[in-house]
Amino acid sequence: MTEAHTTIHSVHALKEQQSVATAGSINQALTNTDGSVFVFYSHPSIYVANKLQQGENGKQACNDWLKGINEALTAQRKNRRRVRLLCVQDALEHGSELNQQTGLTAEQLSDYQAEVSDLELMAGHQLVLQNDDIMQLIERLEASTLQLSEQAYRVAVNVEAVLSANNEAATHLSSSGEELNSLKEENELLLLQLQQVQEELEKTYIDKQNNDAANKYQQRIEELESENQLLMQQITNQQKREVEEEPPQPDIKPEQVKELEEENELLLLQLQQVQEELEAYFIKYQDAQKELSKVKSEFNQMRDQKKKVKDENNKILKQLLTTQEQAAQLTEQLGYAQSYQKKFKTEQQKANELRNGLAAAQRELQELRIKYTPKKPLSKGAKVKQKLLRRKPNNNALPKWLNEQIQQVEHSPLFDRNWYLSQYPDLASINIDPAEHFVRYGGFENRSPSPDFDTEFYVKKYPDVLAEGMNPLLHYILHGEAEGRLPKAGQQW
């Protein structure tokens, strides 16, 4: 299947011989092509005006227009990408854009060209404005339509041209009595239409004090200005035709002329009032524009402030995420540290157990060594040495080697002078230095030099010390500590 544009699908027929497209026929056309199907519709004001020109009822014409639009929207709702809606009047005005976007030409749409008078167009336009169903559907229809220009198609209703034509006809009395009666009816219709336009403008201004309403007012002013220019051109042309033709003056009663002149003056007065109201609306529109500019400025400031706050929030959020990641890392590291600490405590407990076991084994070994080591009697030299230590030297003079031993004991942290005197109060009656007493007598009497060294424990645990004739503390200082011997019960090394 290939895309074809030879068939025109229109949901509105402007002539009797034209066929009307339906949702079913549009869907059938979709099955016959791989491309898009372009569906045309007529502008509601032109469609209704055309039907009025053909003698049909205005309300029925509005209903027929709504029926066709609903058929088009129903077909498009099911195939939004392939069914494209276009306004036939917009397509006729923009032939080159039509050809570029659809491949169709304006000549193919020539049968849908509607030629209606200004009066009928104005009447059709007013009927459309009064139909709520059409007005509610217009905005949706424009949004669904493929636009061939920058803005949606608008109908220019030349109200002043109609009024001017009627005024000229009444002034020059260029028509018959029957035409005058018709003119009166048209004037009454114009009065009704002007009143409706005025009410519509007032309602629009009250209900929509926003930018869209202001645009409509501005557009309406531009349309009126355009219509005024067209009206002046038509008046000029009409005057030229009247000068050239010079039609015969009908027999008209002066009362009818006067009545028409009064009605025309009233129409001109009402038209002037409408123009004054439009000028007032335009002034209000300018004030609204100023207020809108002020609101836009405040909105831009609020938007910039909001953006600034958003940027700050994003920065804080980023910092928070970074902090959370760092906290997660620290938590993970803390978990590792706690695990290592737990393992360390377990290993430390094992080490303490091993150390305690080793100390117990060493004690058992020492006890076994002492138990199974044959005791030797004191050597002759040891006995002599003990006697020398206990002997009181003459003239209180101590040998050099004894003074050295006293100094070693006195400088040892295991000898506490004050504690020794308080522990053994019998020394108070003896005039002797505590360190000298311990070296010469106290060590051999199982007296302890401080709370940190138990002499009785030391000599019992290590009997070889007395066998050598040495002071227990001196032995520990010179040999025992290096050999790993204990200074008191319960001590560990």
Side-chain angles (χ1 to χ4, degrees):
M1 291 183 292
T2 59
E3 184 177 357
H5 301 300
T6 56
T7 302
I8 302 299
H9 303 279
S10 176
V11 295
H12 296 135
L14 299 179
K15 298 179 181 180
E16 294 182 357
Q17 67 273 18
Q18 293 175 346
S19 61
V20 177
T22 62
S25 63
I26 296 171
N27 291 331
Q28 181 63 35
L30 288 172
T31 61
N32 296 330
T33 179
D34 295 330
S36 300
V37 172
F38 298 98
V39 180
F40 293 88
Y41 66 90
S42 178
H43 190 279
S45 298
I46 297 178
Y47 181 82
V48 174
N50 183 74
K51 294 302 180 181
L52 291 176
Q53 189 178 38
Q54 295 176 6
E56 297 185 11
N57 180 268
K59 185 177 180 179
Q60 183 61 39
C62 291
N63 293 334
D64 292 342
W65 185 87
L66 285 170
K67 181 180 178 181
I69 289 300
N70 289 327
E71 291 287 333
L73 292 177
T74 300
Q76 189 192 46
R77 191 181 303 114
K78 298 179 180 179
N79 298 276
R80 294 183 181 276
R81 295 185 178 181
R82 297 182 60 197
V83 176
R84 311 303 299 273
L85 302 184
L86 295 97
C87 177
V88 65
Q89 286 77 25
D90 190 26
L92 289 169
E93 285 191 8
H94 303 88
S96 59
E97 290 81 1
L98 172 68
N99 185 259
Q100 290 177 3
Q101 297 195 37
T102 67
L104 297 171
T105 62
E107 287 76 10
Q108 293 176 272
L109 301 174
S110 59
D111 290 340
Y112 293 88
Q113 179 75 44
E115 296 181 0
V116 294
S117 65
D118 291 333
L119 178 61
E120 290 163 343
L121 181 60
M122 182 177 66
H125 186 61
Q126 290 303 315
L127 288 172
V128 169
L129 293 176
Q130 294 173 9
N131 192 299
D132 295 336
D133 294 336
I134 294 179
M135 296 308 296
Q136 292 176 3
L137 195 61
I138 286 295
E139 185 175 354
R140 176 186 170 190
L141 180 61
E142 290 180 353
S144 304
T145 298
L146 176 63
Q147 302 296 342
L148 300 177
S149 58
E150 295 182 356
Q151 60 181 3
Y153 180 78
R154 293 289 184 268
V155 173
V157 181
N158 197 344
V159 177
E160 295 185 5
V162 177
L163 291 175
S164 178
N166 290 331
N167 290 335
E168 287 292 327
T171 303
H172 296 285
L173 301 176
S174 59
S175 60
S176 63
E178 293 179 353
E179 291 175 342
L180 287 175
N181 292 332
S182 176
L183 183 60
K184 287 178 64 178
E185 292 176 357
E186 291 180 357
N187 285 338
E188 289 176 357
L189 180 61
L190 287 174
L191 285 174
L192 178 61
Q193 297 298 332
L194 284 173
Q195 183 179 0
Q196 291 175 348
V197 169
Q198 183 177 358
E199 291 175 354
E200 179 191 1
L201 289 173
E202 291 175 355
K203 182 179 178 181
T204 304
Y205 180 74
I206 293 172
D207 295 339
K208 297 184 178 180
Q209 292 182 349
N210 52 28
N211 193 33
D212 292 337
N215 290 335
K216 289 182 180 180
Y217 298 146
Q218 180 66 23
Q219 183 178 357
R220 181 58 179 164
I221 291 171
E222 293 176 355
E223 290 176 356
L224 288 175
E225 291 177 353
S226 176
E227 291 170 1
N228 285 333
Q229 294 177 359
L230 184 59
L231 174 61
M232 295 302 297
Q233 183 66 33
Q234 291 177 352
I235 291 173
T236 302
N237 296 335
Q238 181 67 24
Q239 290 176 348
K240 290 180 179 179
R241 286 196 299 270
E242 290 176 355
V243 172
E244 294 174 357
E245 295 176 1
E246 296 182 358
Q249 301 296 328
D251 185 12
I252 301 174
K253 296 179 180 181
E255 293 80 3
Q256 293 177 334
V257 174
K258 185 177 180 180
E259 183 180 356
L260 285 175
E261 288 178 351
E262 291 176 354
E263 290 180 357
N264 286 333
E265 289 177 358
L266 181 61
L267 286 174
L268 289 174
L269 178 61
Q270 291 178 348
L271 179 61
Q272 183 178 1
Q273 290 176 351
V274 171
Q275 290 177 339
E276 291 176 354
E277 290 177 0
L278 287 175
E279 291 176 357
Y281 289 151
F282 181 71
I283 294 174
K284 292 181 180 179
Y285 162 72
Q286 290 179 331
D287 295 338
Q289 283 291 98
K290 293 179 181 179
E291 185 67 22
L292 180 61
S293 299
K294 182 179 178 181
V295 172
K296 284 183 178 180
S297 178
E298 294 176 355
F299 172 76
N300 290 333
Q301 292 178 359
M302 293 177 64
R303 182 179 59 186
D304 295 340
Q305 185 177 4
K306 181 180 178 181
K307 182 179 180 182
K308 183 177 179 181
V309 172
K310 184 177 180 181
D311 294 339
E312 292 178 355
N313 289 340
N314 291 334
K315 183 177 180 181
I316 294 174
L317 180 61
K318 186 177 181 180
Q319 293 176 351
L320 178 60
L321 293 175
T322 303
T323 304
Q324 289 178 344
E325 292 177 357
Q326 293 176 352
Q329 293 177 357
L330 290 175
T331 302
E332 185 178 0
Q333 294 176 358
L334 179 60
Y336 290 150
Q338 291 176 345
S339 176
Y340 291 148
Q341 185 178 14
K342 186 176 180 180
K343 291 181 180 179
F344 175 76
K345 288 182 178 179
T346 303
E347 296 298 328
Q348 190 176 28
Q349 290 177 356
K350 291 181 180 180
N352 291 335
E353 292 175 357
L354 292 174
R355 189 179 294 112
N356 294 334
L358 179 61
Q362 287 179 341
R363 287 194 296 271
E364 292 178 2
L365 179 62
Q366 185 65 27
E367 291 175 356
L368 291 173
R369 184 184 298 163
I370 294 171
K371 182 176 180 180
Y372 292 103
T373 299
K375 297 184 178 179
K376 297 180 180 180
L378 291 174
S379 63
K380 185 177 180 179
K383 293 179 179 180
V384 171
K385 199 170 186 179
Q386 286 184 354
K387 290 179 179 180
L388 290 175
L389 287 171
R390 292 181 174 88
R391 185 182 301 172
K392 182 68 175 180
N394 294 329
N395 300 325
N396 294 327
L398 298 176
K400 182 178 180 181
W401 58 270
L402 184 57
N403 280 327
E404 291 177 354
Q405 292 183 358
I406 293 172
Q407 289 180 1
Q408 286 180 334
V409 169
E410 194 170 23
H411 294 152
S412 173
L414 297 177
F415 181 77
D416 188 339
R417 176 185 295 273
N418 295 330
W419 184 87
Y420 191 75
L421 291 175
S422 63
Q423 190 70 17
Y424 307 109
D426 58 308
L427 299 180
S429 60
I430 304 174
N431 187 17
I432 188 173
D433 182 75
E436 180 184 350
H437 180 274
F438 179 77
V439 172
R440 297 179 65 186
Y441 310 107
F444 299 99
E445 296 173 354
N446 289 337
R447 299 193 186 198
S448 298
S450 69
D452 296 328
F453 188 88
D454 189 347
T455 302
E456 184 177 3
F457 166 79
Y458 195 79
V459 296
K460 285 184 178 181
K461 190 169 183 64
Y462 310 112
D464 58 311
V465 175
L466 291 179
E468 294 293 331
M470 292 187 67
N471 183 284
L473 180 57
L474 279 172
H475 182 275
Y476 180 79
I477 294 172
L478 298 174
H479 310 289
E481 184 177 12
E483 295 173 355
R485 302 193 184 195
L486 303 176
K488 66 176 183 179
Q491 188 76 22
Q492 296 181 358
W493 54 274

